[in-house]
Amino acid sequence: MDQDLTFQTGDAGASDTIPVSAGSCKKGSHVILKGNPCKVIEVSTSKTGKHGHAKASITGIDIFTGKKYQDIAPTSHNLMQPIISKKDYHLIQIEEDNFISLMDEDGGIREDLSIDPQGDEIHLKIKEDFFSNKELMVTVLKCMQKEKIISYKEISS
């Protein structure tokens, strides 16, 4: 039975999240709150009640939108921690529709990201600096199949 198999993705099936105990959440760590990947800005725990579980109140800011979320969970229960990656790309081109061309360190080109100069101040500065002929390196944050340019720096020649 010789068949040629074609796979559309190179994903190994790895999860976008890992379990982490609610009691071990600390300020600065990342957790999923209300379905959104958030950076924890505040954690407070209550004492055990008559049912025996201490509760953790966790407040976080969405890493993509900046929106604030809060959740309460027993400290012995698990929350999901998102797997977050950052990658640097060389900015090659910004199109009229605000889609951008990026090149990674291996020379691979990607053109599937766009910037939002009206809604994001960093994206506005990237566009201004790029069109004033500066060489730019952008950092792309990836988490749960979402990607966003979160920072940039000028490359000195």
Side-chain angles (χ1 to χ4, degrees), residues 106-129:
D106 299 327
I109 304 286
R110 59 179 296 187
E111 301 174 320
D112 58 340
L113 280 175
S114 65
I115 57 173
D116 179 17
Q118 280 78 38
D120 194 316
E121 193 155 326
I122 288 176
H123 292 185
L124 177 63
K125 288 179 182 172
I126 288 171
K127 194 168 186 177
E128 287 172 354
D129 283 356

Side-chain angles (χ1 to χ4, degrees), residues 66-105:
K67 198 171 170 190
K68 193 182 222 182
Y69 291 97
Q70 185 170 16
D71 205 355
I72 297 173
T75 55
S76 59
H77 288 202
N78 281 346
L79 294 173
M80 297 314 282
Q81 181 177 31
I83 296 173
I84 299 170
S85 65
K86 292 180 185 177
K87 189 168 181 183
D88 289 337
Y89 293 93
H90 190 144
L91 180 59
I92 300 171
Q93 181 62 40
I94 300 177
E95 301 294 334
E96 289 179 26
D97 60 0
N98 288 325
F99 272 86
I100 58 176
S101 298
L102 301 171
M103 183 171 62
D104 63 18
E105 63 268 3

Side-chain angles (χ1 to χ4, degrees), residues 6 13 128 147:
T6 305
E128 287 172 354
E147 292 181 297

Side-chain angles (χ1 to χ4, degrees), residues 14-18 30 32 81-85 142-145:
S15 176
D16 290 332
T17 58
I18 54 172
H30 293 88
I32 305 291
Q81 181 177 31
I83 296 173
I84 299 170
S85 65
K142 181 178 182 179
C143 178
M144 299 173 66
Q145 273 96 47

